[in-house]
Amino acid sequence: MNHVSDMAKVTNAGGGRKLRAAVIGAGMAGILSAIRLRERGIDVAMFEKGDRVGGTWRENTYPGLACDVAAHWYTYSFARNPEWDNLMAPGPKIREYFESVARDRGVLPCIRFNEEVVRIEYEGGPWHLTTATGHEERFDLVIVATGVLHHPNIPHFEGIERFRGAVFHSARWDHSIVLDGKRIGVVGTGSTAAQLVTALVPRASHFALFQRTPQWVMHRPNPAYTEEEKAAFRADPATLDRLVQDLRTRTVEGYATAVIDYDSPQLAAIEQLCRENLEKVRDPELRARLTPDYRAACKRLVMSDGFYEAIQQPNAELVTAPIDHIQPEGVRTADGVLHDLDVLVLSTGFQVDRFVRPTKVIGRGGVDLDDVWAEGPEAYISVSVPDFPNLFLVNGPGSPFGNFSAIETSEFQANYVMQLIDGIARGDYREISASHAALRRFEAERQEAGRKTVWVTGCDSWYLDKKGVPTSWTFSYGRFVEEMAQPNLQDFETR
């Protein structure tokens, strides 16, 4: 839904004064939010802690980085890209895509780079925003578009500070370090680690993967698009739209349906494909150590076209003994073995419950978001928190992380938010936020639906909060589209 046609009547509402909006984060969701706000003639200032746009695709630059969602579906609906080379795109190409959209849509002049927002406080009307540089400004509304994959989860291993080689998190890649011919260790077995294994085994003299928990890996080929196909996409956007629809349908009817129903035939089919892929591991002992004891997709399903092939190479080693400590020479595991290394990469994921935090957020009446979220982050329909009026989240708590295309879900959420903002701009109300009753009802239903998801079938993953409750969208794709179509204002408090 696009409300460009409403621009004329919302631009100068509220006594002739333009609304002013702050957008926190210049990644995928932030760029989208700024575009939608500017279409309405709303003054926009974006605050980005980094030095350029791209979000997770700016912060992650490790070898082998790629998206496991089909590239043509992982684009804005209003900015399709006929030039993707393969079914899945590499990270640098995705970052370039976001940079081009931000440039072409006039977003770049709105962005204040290297300005980390440290505090926003609601002052009975405007939001008072403060950055780490001391900059202060007031805004009528704030959109939080900070995402979830940007605060690295860095475990502490005894002695790591004494390691003589290079050590860093995968999202803080040190490109000054020479990798070719080196002894490389990677801690972790998620999607990033699988990509690192595939990319680095051919370059390392010796490669050690330190595995705490094995992962299910689904084979995902990455075929190239021909020049004839690209030409057809350029010449006829409808051809490209049909491809996007096909990619969407296959994912929604397959993976997205599987994860919300652990008894579904779709999940059974995924598990069969994963077991067949695991049979590529020829050595029975290695295959056994790579076999999970939980259901496929309970953790984020790893998609790869080369992980099992790489881990079986003569210079590759799977280490399943727990890490005891780090020595200057390398990693000492609990079985007493010293693994000599030159480079140690911590592919240990992110703190996915941070969202806007560590930014201090103070709502109506001095309510502190840290206190509200003490037991875990919650938001009504993922976009609004009671007592925080005119503060909206895109990709907030409970969003479909990993279920669908993050760009498509962000567009639905952004359009939902814009409808709430249109009401402010028209003067229907001065402030709006979800009611406590609506949040409680929604969360109760979401958590109840979570009991049927694959995420609760016996594994520990970032899809679960500290109470073991799924943090993601637990309903169907159709329910998400329906909920995002139009706000139910009865679920909101307005003033």
Side-chain angles (χ1 to χ4, degrees):
M1 187 179 301
N2 189 334
H3 296 271
V4 177
S5 61
D6 289 342
M7 282 194 294
K9 58 183 178 182
V10 303
T11 299
N12 292 301
R17 182 180 63 83
K18 276 189 176 184
L19 289 175
R20 302 196 68 237
V23 176
I24 304 177
M28 175 272 293
I31 294 169
L32 168 65
S33 299
I35 290 171
R36 292 305 188 215
L37 288 167
R38 293 182 73 248
E39 287 174 345
R40 287 159 167 73
I42 295 174
D43 286 338
V44 181
M46 298 180 68
F47 295 86
E48 169 53 55
K49 65 181 180 180
D51 60 0
R52 56 180 175 170
V53 304
T56 191
W57 301 105
R58 178 197 66 236
E59 308 228 332
N60 287 274
T61 60
Y62 59 82
L65 172 66
C67 184
D68 57 10
V69 175
H72 282 297
W73 192 24
Y74 194 73
T75 55
Y76 299 117
S77 63
F78 53 85
R80 298 295 185 201
N81 175 26
E83 307 303 329
W84 294 122
D85 293 321
N86 293 81
L87 179 64
M88 266 78 69
K93 291 289 186 181
I94 297 172
R95 188 189 68 246
E96 290 172 8
Y97 168 76
F98 287 124
E99 290 173 341
S100 68
V101 173
R103 180 185 63 250
D104 296 344
R105 296 279 170 161
V107 171
L108 291 179
C110 305
I111 305 175
R112 299 174 184 178
F113 291 108
N114 301 306
E115 285 274 18
E116 182 177 6
V117 178
V118 296
R119 183 183 180 92
I120 53 174
E121 182 171 1
Y122 191 69
E123 298 182 331
W127 281 91
H128 183 192
L129 180 148
T130 306
T131 71
T133 64
H135 176 80
E136 297 184 34
E137 202 164 349
R138 285 171 172 78
F139 296 92
D140 299 294
L141 55 99
V142 177
I143 293 182
V144 174
T146 49
V148 294
L149 303 179
H150 63 113
H151 292 297
N153 179 37
I154 302 178
H156 177 72
F157 296 110
E158 180 187 349
I160 196 167
E161 65 282 352
R162 299 196 300 273
F163 180 55
R164 284 200 296 259
V167 58
F168 46 83
H169 191 275
S170 56
R172 299 291 182 268
W173 199 270
D174 187 344
H175 290 276
S176 70
I177 302 301
V178 175
L179 300 174
D180 293 319
K182 301 299 183 181
R183 299 166 299 178
I184 303 172
V186 170
V187 179
T189 52
S191 295
T192 294
Q195 292 177 345
L196 287 170
V197 169
T198 305
L200 295 183
V201 165
R203 301 176 60 180
S205 61
H206 182 76
F207 185 97
L209 178 66
F210 295 89
Q211 171 187 279
R212 183 175 63 179
T213 307
Q215 298 269 14
W216 287 111
V217 180
M218 177 180 281
H219 178 65
R220 186 72 179 266
N222 193 20
Y225 290 107
T226 66
E227 289 305 317
E228 290 76 16
E229 288 174 313
K230 291 183 187 179
F233 297 152
R234 293 186 208 107
D236 183 15
T239 300
L240 186 50
D241 286 340
R242 286 192 294 272
L243 172 62
V244 172
Q245 179 60 45
D246 179 60
L247 295 169
R248 176 193 297 111
T249 299
R250 279 190 280 164
T251 302
V252 170
E253 293 183 355
Y255 182 78
T257 298
V259 296
I260 63 169
D261 182 3
Y262 54 64
D263 286 331
S264 68
Q266 290 89 342
L267 182 59
I270 287 173
E271 291 182 316
Q272 180 61 29
L273 289 171
C274 288
R275 285 191 291 268
E276 291 173 359
N277 194 34
L278 185 57
E279 289 301 314
K280 293 177 180 175
V281 181
R282 297 179 298 276
D283 176 36
E285 189 271 337
L286 177 60
R287 188 190 316 129
R289 291 194 293 141
L290 286 167
T291 302
D293 61 359
Y294 55 86
R295 299 195 65 180
C298 184
K299 292 177 178 286
R300 174 68 185 267
L301 190 62
V302 175
M303 307 284 189
S304 174
D305 61 355
F307 171 74
Y308 287 139
E309 290 81 356
I311 200 63
Q312 294 181 84
Q313 294 305 306
N315 66 322
E317 175 188 12
L318 179 71
V319 181
T320 54
I323 294 175
D324 185 76
H325 64 275
I326 310 296
Q327 297 180 194
E329 302 84 4
V331 174
R332 179 79 68 175
T333 46
D335 57 3
V337 175
L338 174 63
H339 303 269
D340 292 307
L341 297 172
D342 302 305
V343 181
L344 180 61
V345 181
L346 305 176
S347 180
T348 48
F350 299 87
Q351 301 176 62
V352 296
D353 64 344
R354 298 292 83 198
F355 294 98
V356 66
R357 297 173 294 175
T359 299
K360 179 65 71 173
V361 183
I362 307 298
R364 183 193 295 128
V367 176
D368 190 327
L369 189 64
D370 284 334
D371 295 332
V372 174
W373 283 358
E375 296 301 314
E378 295 179 339
Y380 171 69
I381 314 291
S382 308
V383 303
S384 180
V385 181
D387 297 324
F388 292 83
N390 301 358
L391 176 76
F392 308 105
L393 300 100
V394 179
N395 283 326
S399 291
F401 306 119
N403 301 35
F404 321 135
S405 163
I407 293 188
E408 185 164 281
T409 59
S410 295
E411 285 200 49
F412 279 115
Q413 290 179 337
N415 287 335
Y416 182 99
V417 167
M418 292 306 143
Q419 292 180 71
L420 299 176
I421 292 173
D422 287 345
I424 300 172
R426 288 191 302 265
D428 297 347
Y429 38 80
R430 182 172 57 85
E431 60 179 55
I432 186 168
S433 57
S435 69
H436 286 273
L439 175 59
R440 294 274 65 82
R441 186 188 72 248
F442 171 72
E443 271 300 300
E445 188 179 357
R446 190 189 66 81
Q447 292 182 26
E448 179 61 29
R451 297 176 183 273
K452 188 66 173 175
T453 66
V454 70
W455 303 311
V456 299
T457 57
C459 71
D460 181 25
S461 79
W462 64 269
Y463 285 122
L464 301 177
D465 65 16
K466 58 186 178 183
K467 296 175 289 187
V469 175
T471 58
S472 188
W473 185 261
T474 56
F475 308 111
S476 68
Y477 178 85
R479 169 73 180 269
F480 182 78
V481 173
E482 180 183 340
E483 292 280 8
M484 291 293 107
Q486 185 175 0
N488 179 2
L489 291 182
Q490 292 181 341
D491 286 343
F492 291 84
E493 294 180 349
T494 60
R495 296 185 182 182

